[in-house]
Amino acid sequence: MGKLVRFGVAMDEDLLASFDGLVKQRGPGVNRSEAVRDLVREAIVDSAVEDEDDEVVGTITMVFNHGTGDLSDKLDALQHEHHREVVSAMHVHLDAHNCLEVLVLRGRAGDVKGIADTLLGTKGVKHGRLVMTTTSGL
Ligand code: NI
């Protein structure tokens, strides 16, 4: 997992109140930091691929502790649910507890992004990233 860095953000109080409302809607387990991380991730992905219907290939890299509850089973089940998009998976046992998985996905940008959001948003996934690219227009 990358080093966790704290930073301050100055924001109009009305805007912050609206943002807190958004955070609250997302459930009791979500705090400001998690919501900001999700927004930043979305912005990065959106800037790389504009159209949700674009055909893309992507990789998901994620690190998790295989001993966390039924996390391994959950992640496995999610990948089976999306077997059409998940074309390859590599699992590396990093140490006694931590696992690295690198998945290759292919499909509609919207679908690939949705699968990544679900996997990376699964409780217990410590760190992860989706990188999308496309062969169209290259
Ligand atoms: Ni492992």
Side-chain angles (χ1 to χ4, degrees):
M1 184 171 179
K3 189 179 147 204
L4 203 60
V5 178
R6 291 182 183 279
F7 66 101
V9 177
M11 193 181 290
D12 178 273
E13 64 180 359
D14 292 340
L15 185 60
L16 183 58
S18 299
F19 180 61
D20 282 341
L22 196 75
V23 172
K24 208 172 173 184
Q25 273 177 25
R26 301 188 55 193
V30 177
N31 58 31
R32 277 181 186 162
S33 291
E34 281 168 334
V36 168
R37 283 194 290 271
D38 285 350
L39 289 174
V40 169
R41 190 180 297 125
E42 273 179 33
I44 290 167
V45 169
D46 288 351
S47 70
V49 179
E50 305 246 320
D51 191 339
E52 300 242 307
D53 287 324
D54 278 353
E55 193 70 16
V56 299
V57 289
T59 58
I60 295 173
T61 301
M62 57 185 176
V63 175
F64 59 93
N65 183 329
H66 73 95
T68 304
D70 59 351
L71 181 58
S72 292
D73 288 343
K74 269 190 199 161
L75 295 175
D76 209 40
L78 283 165
Q79 291 176 48
H80 278 275
E81 254 175 59
H82 301 286
H83 61 88
R84 283 184 205 85
E85 287 82 16
V86 180
V87 295
S88 180
M90 179 174 68
H91 185 107
V92 180
H93 310 301
L94 293 177
D95 56 33
H97 307 289
N98 291 296
C99 304
L100 166 73
E101 273 192 12
V102 180
L103 311 177
V104 176
L105 293 90
R106 176 187 286 160
R108 268 185 76 253
D111 293 337
V112 168
K113 186 172 169 289
I115 294 164
D117 285 345
T118 305
L119 286 168
L120 300 179
T122 301
K123 195 174 173 177
V125 174
K126 293 179 173 184
H127 176 68
R129 181 168 295 176
L130 165 67
V131 175
M132 286 202 288
T133 187
T134 178
T135 52
S136 68
L138 295 181

